Amino acid sequence: MKEKLKASVNAIAAKDVEAFHKTLGPGIGTEHDYLLNNVVNFTTVDKAHEENGRILVAVNGENLRQDGGSPVMGYTFYFEQEESADGRL
């Protein structure tokens, strides 16, 4: 989970669409590509916690855009346990 989170954050920071897509689950498509439009300096990773069977991790940072928006920006990453080929989690 830690490596997948790191890869996602690095892809967003680098605005690398291909790398970002590799970090998403199958079938996600391009619906989250808008995240790459933001200019953000990631600063903190909150403690992971479980909610509704998923692990959530908030990553916060500074909005570097000069458009008058909020100076704080955050993303919440969701991790779901993958099912094995025999149907077990």
Side-chain angles (χ1 to χ4, degrees):
M1 182 173 69
K2 182 178 177 180
E3 290 303 315
K4 191 170 187 176
L5 177 63
K6 183 177 178 180
S8 291
V9 169
N10 286 339
I12 291 169
K15 302 197 180 314
D16 186 334
V17 175
E18 186 175 324
F20 182 59
H21 286 179
K22 287 180 183 178
T23 68
L24 301 175
I28 298 296
T30 60
E31 67 184 78
H32 297 290
D33 285 2
Y34 70 91
L35 295 174
L36 302 174
N37 296 333
N38 297 318
V39 182
V40 60
N41 178 32
F42 292 106
T43 56
T44 61
V45 177
D46 289 347
K47 188 174 181 177
H49 68 280
E50 183 187 356
E51 185 177 296
N52 299 323
R54 298 183 292 183
I55 303 297
L56 280 65
V57 181
V59 180
N60 303 298
E62 301 170 293
N63 181 353
L64 300 178
R65 293 178 72 167
Q66 303 297 318
D67 60 4
S70 172
V72 178
M73 184 169 281
Y75 296 87
T76 300
F77 292 85
Y78 299 85
F79 296 91
E80 294 182 349
Q81 194 169 17
E82 294 181 17
E83 194 172 302
S84 67
D86 62 2
R88 289 185 284 163
L89 296 177

